[in-house]
Amino acid sequence: MKILVCISKAPDTTAKIAFTDGNTKFDENGVQFIVNPYDEWYALVRGLELKEANGGTVTVLNVGGAENDPIIRKALAIGADDAVRIDAAATDALSVAKQISNYAKDKGFDLIFLGKETIDYNGSQVGGMVAELMNLPYVSLATKIDVSGDVATVERDIEGGVEVVEVTGALVLSAAKGMAEARIPNMRGIMAARTKPLAVEAGTDVTAVTSIKNFELPPAKSACKLVAADNVEELVSLLHNEAKAI
Amino acid sequence: MSILIYADSSNGKLTKNAFEAANYGAQLAQQTGSSATALVTGTVSGIEELGKYGISKVLHASDATLDSFDPQKITHVIAEAAKSIGADTIIFSHDYSGKSVAPRLAAKLDAGLVSGAIALPNTDGGFVVKKAVFSGKAFAFVEVNSATKIVSVLPNSIEKKIGEGSAAIEAFAVEIPTTNLKVKEVRKESTELSLTEADIVVSAGRGLKGPENWGMIEELAHELGAATACSRPVADIGWRPHHEHVGQTGFAIRPNLYIAIGISGAIQHLAGVNGSKVIVVINTDAEAPFFKAADYGIVGDAFEVVPKLIEAVKKLKAQQ
């Protein structure tokens, strides 16, 4: 079984969000970058579990510059066999999806996994785009996958419930919470990651179709109105008359 | 400019998110002086209701093979519908269905997609859409430069404009491709209100001390017609099911009212709920970070405050 896990670089979940250059660029100053949690905790770990159960390989892929190598090494430390970095700027979702599909289309991957979204741009786009570009089924926000022969049974979240689908042959999947439990790399994994292959491939020439013009921080929240614990009726009255929320 | 809206359905009825997306498309059509057409797939009743949301024409691809949700098939049908009406803008809801179809369609049409829009596009000399980024900690204004533009609208984020009118329904015949995907089963938590669609959410955390104490949370939710949710630690230790976990790694929700009881408000939890219109925090610790993000708060013991709150809500409902 040949598994490809696409990983993205994201600011740490506790990073301070600020912008520079007239609010047009994310301020990376002092920001710790991590593997996007959905890619690492759920997509990568489930890929490794499937490999451990069925045999095969797990390759991680990232689109970006050499500054992304540390997070790629982290994925190798967790257990991926090898890695590919497409040396191209990750300008927008469609251009990243094109880089991934251009690389993956003739490699014969059985499963292509990624996280349900990145925690920076929250687009939830790349997986579906890769699937369409490669003409493969796509199961979004999947919480469970089991593989038997060339048939995968996958559960995915839907509005107020769960859908179970069966896919024959290769597929693209975006992983959500429930898919796997996060793994912490051990010392042996970290040592091994240093010598695992990390291939750098030139990107193909693609054009971005969206661009971020500028960012804005949310307005400061006005102070919380405190109500005394023995005056709960006052809270209900405020919610009804002032906030009009009940 | 011609706008096509994909109106999703569930169990033979259009969803709340579908009406919202339709209304977003209709408002955009009004803003740009263009027309808004909706597309409905599968066996669905009550389609003419879309008229109230500003849609005058609906294409209905009623082929029963579209009753089960296969993103590859739906994408094909939407692309055909867009071609038939010459649509240059396509609208989805940024819900589970939208997330699985909109990106496919974007790749198929080589179109720029803005997912999770929270306002109408600014079409003054371009096409710029506002969306939340960094898990709600900031907003981005995204410009779409492709000829065809796709927007998926974050549920519960736009002011709906509802009027009179009934939509004319036109049958839309289209060949459906075969795929390698089969829907085997759909399990709906039928007794519970869907967390992501609920207007009011009552949520509790470790401050409740144990799963046996959730009775009052459920009772408060019941009185308010609310869905119940929980923090990550509570789901991780198994006090509550994972599908109730809201936060950065669980569900992101944006109800009109979010009541957090016994939740300290870690940054990862706030990332999943900071889009809520009104936030109420009940916590024994006056220093809990959640109070900084709250509109209303009570510093007090949940075991004393919540029963009183249930009584006060009952009293209010009795007066209405």
Side-chain angles (χ1 to χ4, degrees), chain B residues 6-67:
Chain B
Y6 174 63
D8 185 36
S9 57
S10 167
N11 290 334
K13 286 194 180 67
L14 294 170
T15 63
K16 180 183 162 194
N17 295 338
F19 287 112
E20 252 176 39
N23 198 228
Y24 182 95
Q27 290 185 40
L28 177 60
Q30 200 171 32
Q31 177 182 309
T32 55
S34 53
S35 64
T37 306
L39 171 70
V40 175
T41 55
T43 315
V44 182
S45 62
I47 299 173
E48 60 288 344
E49 281 281 302
L50 284 166
K52 289 185 189 152
Y53 293 81
I55 301 293
S56 51
K57 187 172 113 178
V58 181
L59 301 177
H60 186 195
S62 58
D63 194 315
T65 54
L66 296 170
D67 286 355

Side-chain angles (χ1 to χ4, degrees), chain B residues 61-108:
Chain B
S62 58
D63 194 315
T65 54
L66 296 170
D67 286 355
S68 62
F69 188 82
D70 182 336
Q72 235 170 333
K73 290 178 182 166
I74 306 270
T75 301
H76 174 78
V77 174
I78 300 171
E80 289 299 308
K83 208 193 311 174
S84 86
I85 64 161
D88 55 10
T89 307
I90 301 154
I91 309 294
F92 289 87
S93 172
H94 190 54
D95 58 8
Y96 293 103
S97 306
K99 284 175 189 175
S100 47
V101 179
R104 288 203 81 109
L105 188 71
K108 192 179 181 79

Side-chain angles (χ1 to χ4, degrees), chain A residues 146-220:
Chain A
D146 287 305
V147 181
S148 170
D150 71 338
V151 177
T153 305
V154 192
E155 292 191 12
R156 71 175 192 104
D157 285 332
I158 56 170
E159 239 68 44
V162 173
E163 187 180 81
V164 186
V165 301
E166 212 173 76
V167 180
T168 310
L171 66 91
V172 180
L173 168 152
S174 79
K177 188 185 169 87
M179 180 59 89
E181 293 294 332
R183 285 186 185 180
I184 298 162
N186 56 27
M187 192 45 75
R188 216 178 70 196
I190 294 167
M191 298 301 283
R194 292 184 188 167
T195 51
K196 282 181 181 174
L198 193 174
V200 178
E201 300 229 354
T204 38
D205 194 15
V206 298
T207 320
V209 284
T210 63
S211 59
I212 293 179
K213 290 198 65 138
N214 60 292
F215 294 97
E216 190 181 276
L217 289 168

Side-chain angles (χ1 to χ4, degrees), chain A residues 11-15 17 19 26 37-38 41-42 94 98 116-117 119-126 128-129 131-133 135-141 155-169 177 208-219 221-230 232-233 235-236 238-240 242-243 245-246, chain B residues 17 69 71-72 75 94-96 99-100 103-104 106-108 110-115 128 130-146 180-189 194 196-197 200 224 232 236 242 245 248-251 257 267-268 278 280 291-300 305 308-309 312-313 315-316 320:
Chain A
D12 183 64
T13 53
T14 55
I17 305 304
F19 304 100
F26 176 58
Y38 299 108
W41 302 351
Y42 308 134
L94 191 53
K98 284 177 180 173
K116 69 163 186 172
E117 64 181 49
I119 62 167
D120 47 8
Y121 298 109
N122 307 111
S124 221
Q125 298 190 10
V126 175
M129 289 170 167
E132 184 65 27
L133 293 168
N135 196 26
L136 292 175
Y138 173 52
V139 187
S140 62
L141 287 97
E155 292 191 12
R156 71 175 192 104
D157 285 332
I158 56 170
E159 239 68 44
V162 173
E163 187 180 81
V164 186
V165 301
E166 212 173 76
V167 180
T168 310
K177 188 185 169 87
V209 284
T210 63
S211 59
I212 293 179
K213 290 198 65 138
N214 60 292
F215 294 97
E216 190 181 276
L217 289 168
K221 194 102 181 171
S222 54
C224 172
K225 256 188 204 176
L226 284 178
V227 176
D230 55 5
V232 173
E233 295 205 355
L235 174 67
V236 172
L238 284 167
L239 290 177
H240 180 63
E242 187 179 86
I246 58 173
Chain B
N17 295 338
F69 188 82
Q72 235 170 333
T75 301
H94 190 54
D95 58 8
Y96 293 103
K99 284 175 189 175
S100 47
R104 288 203 81 109
K108 192 179 181 79
D110 209 24
L113 162 64
V114 182
S115 45
V128 178
K130 184 179 185 181
K131 67 160 295 195
V133 288
F134 297 101
S135 305
K137 290 170 220 159
F139 301 105
F141 292 85
V142 185
E143 178 154 47
V144 184
N145 305 307
S146 49
N180 291 335
L181 182 144
K182 260 199 306 242
V183 175
K184 301 294 283 182
E185 191 188 348
V186 176
R187 294 199 296 264
K188 289 265 184 183
E189 333 275 350
S194 158
T196 46
E197 287 183 305
I200 304 178
L224 289 166
R232 178 170 175 201
D236 281 355
H242 275 295
H245 162 204
Q248 184 141 36
T249 52
F251 291 106
L257 174 61
I267 194 164
Q268 292 89 346
V278 178
V280 175
F291 284 111
K292 289 200 177 68
D295 300 283
Y296 301 99
I298 291 182
V299 179
V305 173
K308 284 189 207 159
L309 190 53
V313 170
K315 209 162 129 190
L316 174 78
Q320 283 173 341

Side-chain angles (χ1 to χ4, degrees), chain A residues 41-51 113 145-146 179-180:
Chain A
W41 302 351
Y42 308 134
L44 175 59
V45 176
R46 187 60 191 144
L48 294 171
E49 289 172 353
L50 287 171
K51 173 200 137 173
F113 286 1
I145 175 168
D146 287 305
M179 180 59 89

